[in-house]
């Protein structure tokens, strides 16, 4: 529900198609968005919105259950967000602090026995700045997700309850709930 709510409420995300709590592979559930058109490039706004949506599940857990009761369920979301944020900073030139340069273009992996060593062709100072920028981008997304969900906490609870009852909600179902209306009863069968 947190992912879906962030997808719907943050400008730049593709339109929400549906959300489900039916496990798929290693995912405990999924929010599906569908692009409206073919695209080759992604804007800064779209990337930042995608990061907010990615943290929607983890921030929902924290808001609903409390800081001490968050689970490991968001591990793949964290991995995805960190990868996007690192490319945002090091490859796509979207960080103001780093600028429009490619950082670590010639980073190579040297396999020594079972250990992997990275030979960096960037200074330690630049590497620290990159790490700080990745953290800043992720923290901003996390805080935006928390703000969106806090402002829509009643709808988050309504969606979560509907997901427990139905397992899958369409975008239209969520729009109905957002208007404060009840979903039509499930067909008996």
């Amino acid at each position: 529900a947190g992912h879906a709510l962030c997808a719907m409420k943050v400008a730049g995300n593709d339109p929400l198609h549906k959300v489900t709590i039916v496990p798929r592979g290693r995912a405990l559930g999924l929010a599906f968005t569908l692009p409206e058109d073919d695209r080759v490039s992604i804007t800064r706004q779209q990337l930042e919105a995608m990061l907010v949506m990615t943290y929607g599940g983890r921030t929902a857990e924290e808001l609903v259950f409390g800081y001490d009761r968050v689970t490991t369920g968001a591990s793949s979301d964290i991995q995805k967000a960190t990868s996007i944020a690192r490319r945002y900073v090091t490859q796509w030139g979207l960080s103001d602090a780093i600028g429009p340069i490619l950082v670590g273009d010639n980073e190579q992996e040297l396999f020594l026995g079972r250990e992997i060593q990275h030979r960096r062709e960037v200074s330690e100072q630049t590497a620290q700045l990159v790490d700080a920028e990745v953290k800043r981008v992720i923290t901003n997304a996390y805080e935006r997700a928390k703000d969106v969900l806090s402002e829509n906490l009643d709808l988050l609870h309504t969606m979560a309850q509907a997901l427990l009852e139905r397992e899958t909600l369409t975008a239209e179902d969520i729009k109905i709930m957002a208007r404060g209306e009840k979903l039509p009863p499930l067909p008996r069968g």
Side-chain angles (χ1 to χ4, degrees), residues 11 15 18 30 42 63 71 74 77 87 111 115 132 143 145-147 151 163 170 176:
K18 70 178 179 177
L30 296 169
I42 301 174
L63 283 171
T71 69
D77 294 332
R87 287 182 287 161
F111 292 92
E115 295 183 24
E143 292 302 320
K146 194 179 284 189
D147 290 345
E151 292 165 9
L163 279 167
T170 65
I176 290 169

Side-chain angles (χ1 to χ4, degrees), residues 7-70:
M8 288 183 68
K9 297 289 185 177
V10 177
N13 275 311
D14 291 326
L16 182 68
H17 176 63
K18 70 178 179 177
V19 60
T20 182
I21 58 171
V22 176
R24 303 266 200 266
R26 292 172 46 197
L28 301 175
L30 296 169
F32 297 92
T33 58
L34 295 174
E36 294 177 299
D37 50 18
D38 291 338
R39 70 171 68 110
V40 176
S41 298
I42 301 174
T43 67
R44 179 190 311 260
Q45 180 191 40
Q46 290 168 323
L47 286 167
E48 291 173 359
M50 187 185 310
L51 287 169
V52 174
M53 179 184 147
T54 302
Y55 277 112
R58 176 60 173 266
T59 56
E61 270 192 340
E62 187 175 332
L63 283 171
V64 173
F65 302 119
Y67 178 81
D68 291 332
R69 304 231 12 236
V70 295

Side-chain angles (χ1 to χ4, degrees), residues 85-187:
R86 187 159 295 281
R87 287 182 287 161
Y88 180 103
V89 171
T90 63
Q91 294 178 11
W92 299 327
L94 298 173
S95 161
D96 292 336
I98 301 295
I101 62 170
L102 181 64
V103 178
D105 181 35
N106 293 323
E107 190 172 303
Q108 298 176 10
E109 292 180 0
L110 303 173
F111 292 92
L112 302 174
R114 291 177 177 241
E115 295 183 24
I116 299 173
Q117 284 188 341
H118 293 282
R119 184 174 77 219
R120 293 182 185 248
E121 294 191 10
V122 296
S123 70
E124 186 60 32
Q125 182 180 0
T126 300
Q128 288 176 358
L129 185 56
V130 165
D131 289 344
E133 275 298 282
V134 169
K135 182 166 178 40
R136 182 192 63 78
V137 169
I138 286 172
T139 300
N140 286 349
Y142 196 87
E143 292 302 320
R144 280 183 68 196
K146 194 179 284 189
D147 290 345
V148 167
L149 297 178
S150 294
E151 292 165 9
N152 296 280
L153 200 53
D154 289 342
L155 180 56
L156 178 68
H157 286 296
T158 301
M159 289 171 58
Q161 186 59 44
L163 279 167
L164 289 173
E165 294 168 3
R166 297 169 183 253
E167 294 185 334
T168 300
L169 298 172
T170 65
E172 188 55 39
D173 292 335
I174 296 169
K175 288 175 187 170
I176 290 169
M177 290 184 286
R179 291 192 303 261
E181 300 171 14
K182 297 240 185 254
L183 291 177
L186 287 169

